[in-house]
Amino acid sequence: MKYWRWPSAAAVLLVSAHASAQSNVLIYGIIDYGLNFVNNAQTAAPGGRTGSHQYAMSSSIMQGNRLGFRGTEDLGGGYQAIFVLENGFDIGTGSLAQGGNLFGRQAYVGLASPYGTVTIGRQYDSAVDYIGPLTGAVGNGTYALHGNDINNFGNTYRVNNAVKFTSNTYNGFKFGGLYSFGGVAGSFGTNSIYSAGASYSNGPWSAAVAYLRARDPNRSFFGNNPNSSATANNLGATSGVQTNPVYGAFASAAYYQVMGAALQYSVQSLIVGFDYSHITFGDLNSPSSGNLALTNPRGYTGNAAFNSYNLFARYAITPFLWLNGSYDYLVGGAIDGKESAKYHMFNASVDYFLSKRTDVYFMANYQIASGVDSTGQPAVASYLTITPSNTPHQVVLRVGMRHRF
């Protein structure tokens, strides 16, 4: 990583030999790319759809691709002005990620102090900040995320127009919260998002809790990118070749809520952990979600709730060779007489580090689904970024390479 030192604005304007503050800008990034094999992916067919093998290249699976700029300026007295601009991209096509946002991963400015940090802009919610590092997706990547990242522990969705506070760490304890202003005249709460979380580390033990609630989530949370729609379902197609059958038909919720907790134990070369989340899509059939014919084609009312349980382990055979595994069980979505769906996800990976910055990896993933999914059809296996299966089963294999700079 390289640091670029820029003189302060005062020094530039006054051509002074003595700068009143010290500024630093760090340029950093991650490039992740690989080849996938999917044994059964939905394809359109006369009278409906079928399933076929699929070979495809894809980005951002072990970690999201990014190019970032992180800056600090020392203001004295323990205070610093800070900023982060972080772009996401697809290396295969060169296109912008996060729905076409130039700095779609993060974009904020703020003030760090002896008491904590306050930032404003497009940011991560508290579930991402506190629980995200203690999940099976660390080491197993995107395909280990619970039910198409239904709880956002994998940071699929960001929060716009947010004010965030993050405390300093006190004897291993840290806490914080975020609030996003909806910006609707005459209604303070419309399109608002808020979250809070805390973490604690003591020796080999780490634990975290978090809460997230989004009002009008189809617009404020799932639909806050340039390519999003103010009226359509921003969770994707729920008929034909599907995009997100796990919870895509619940886009008409008046609110989306996540409560989660995680626990991790690390000893020598072994890491084991567990996380749990309860997810609610509340007050379905909300007119504020958009065109109800598109956001709620099945006319659901009431609440659809899910519970997710995840166990994971990581083991270092050598400092350069890691084995990773996780198991996730997701159940829920029963509503208006529709039964629940159940999803069992098994994930394993081997990760070999060629250097401190570059590694190659192999992933093997298997999923079994049962019951009835959000679209009212027999549940099919579905991974984030992968075309859902046409059956209750799906295998995804990947060989990839990651480089950090």
Side-chain angles (χ1 to χ4, degrees):
M1 296 182 180
K2 296 182 178 179
Y3 286 85
W4 298 86
R5 296 191 178 274
W6 292 353
S8 68
V12 172
L13 293 175
L14 299 178
V15 198
S16 170
H18 301 284
S20 60
Q22 184 65 57
S23 299
N24 296 298
V25 174
L26 169 66
I27 302 175
Y28 63 94
I30 295 174
I31 299 174
D32 179 282
Y33 202 52
L35 172 65
N36 298 334
F37 165 76
V38 182
N39 78 317
N40 190 308
Q42 293 179 11
T43 59
R49 70 186 190 218
T50 185
S52 302
H53 290 347
Q54 182 186 66
Y55 295 88
M57 304 293 290
S58 66
S59 288
S60 303
I61 301 303
M62 183 63 86
Q63 272 189 285
N65 287 358
R66 69 200 68 179
L67 173 63
F69 305 86
R70 184 183 303 274
T72 63
E73 181 179 9
D74 187 5
L75 304 177
Y79 290 83
Q80 288 184 321
I82 63 174
F83 78 86
V84 168
L85 297 172
E86 192 171 281
N87 160 266
F89 58 92
D90 184 334
I91 190 175
T93 64
S95 60
L96 295 172
Q98 288 79 49
N101 279 301
L102 177 59
F103 294 110
R105 291 186 58 85
Q106 300 183 85
Y108 63 79
V109 64
L111 182 68
S113 76
Y115 313 101
T117 302
V118 176
T119 50
I120 53 177
R122 180 175 169 92
Q123 303 181 74
Y124 301 163
D125 66 70
S126 298
V128 173
D129 287 340
Y130 295 95
I131 296 182
L134 306 180
T135 68
V138 179
N140 290 285
T142 294
Y143 302 146
L145 295 175
H146 326 268
N148 289 46
D149 202 13
I150 191 171
N151 48 24
N152 204 45
F153 288 178
N155 199 20
T156 299
Y157 307 102
R158 275 73 174 179
V159 183
N160 285 346
N161 305 312
V163 178
K164 178 193 283 190
F165 172 77
T166 304
S167 78
N168 294 333
T169 301
Y170 303 98
N171 295 320
F173 177 72
K174 184 170 72 171
F175 63 93
L178 169 149
Y179 186 86
S180 170
F181 296 86
V184 178
S187 178
F188 183 79
T190 300
N191 291 341
S192 63
I193 301 170
Y194 57 92
S195 66
S199 64
Y200 178 70
S201 295
N202 185 356
W205 292 98
S206 298
V209 294
Y211 176 80
L212 166 66
R213 186 179 177 102
R215 289 276 302 272
D216 314 299
N218 188 52
R219 294 182 177 181
S220 65
F221 195 61
F222 307 129
N224 63 15
N225 294 324
N227 66 352
S228 300
S229 171
T231 58
N233 185 334
N234 289 305
L235 291 173
T238 58
S239 60
V241 176
Q242 301 169 322
T243 305
N244 181 6
V246 179
Y247 58 95
F250 299 143
S252 68
Y255 70 89
Y256 162 76
Q257 179 176 276
V258 177
M259 296 181 287
L263 181 66
Q264 180 174 283
Y265 180 76
S266 304
V267 55
Q268 296 181 346
S269 56
L270 177 67
I271 300 172
V272 295
F274 170 79
D275 67 79
Y276 164 78
S277 60
H278 179 76
I279 307 100
T280 304
F281 296 84
D283 293 341
L284 297 177
N285 206 42
S286 170
S288 62
S289 66
N291 183 339
L292 289 172
L294 301 175
T295 63
N296 192 18
R298 293 188 57 84
Y300 293 131
T301 59
N303 299 340
F306 292 82
N307 289 291
S308 178
Y309 310 83
N310 177 242
L311 286 168
F312 63 90
R314 300 194 292 276
Y315 179 71
I317 297 177
T318 74
F320 305 102
L321 181 63
W322 282 78
L323 300 180
N324 308 283
S326 74
Y327 164 72
D328 183 81
Y329 175 61
L330 176 69
V331 58
I335 190 169
D336 289 348
K338 182 188 79 62
E339 66 177 275
S340 296
K342 299 177 182 179
Y343 302 89
H344 299 269
M345 296 173 58
F346 304 88
N347 311 96
S349 71
V350 180
D351 196 0
Y352 181 72
F353 287 81
L354 303 173
S355 70
K356 291 182 178 180
R357 297 184 178 182
T358 303
D359 58 314
V360 293
Y361 58 86
F362 172 75
M363 294 177 173
N365 311 276
Y366 179 59
Q367 186 176 158
I368 306 171
S370 62
V372 179
D373 65 27
S374 72
T375 71
Q377 303 174 76
V380 297
S382 179
Y383 286 97
L384 188 67
T385 76
I386 295 293
T387 304
S389 175
N390 202 45
T391 73
H393 308 274
Q394 192 169 49
V395 174
V396 179
L397 305 178
R398 176 178 173 86
V399 177
M401 184 175 185
R402 172 177 53 177
H403 178 72
R404 304 177 182 90
F405 61 91

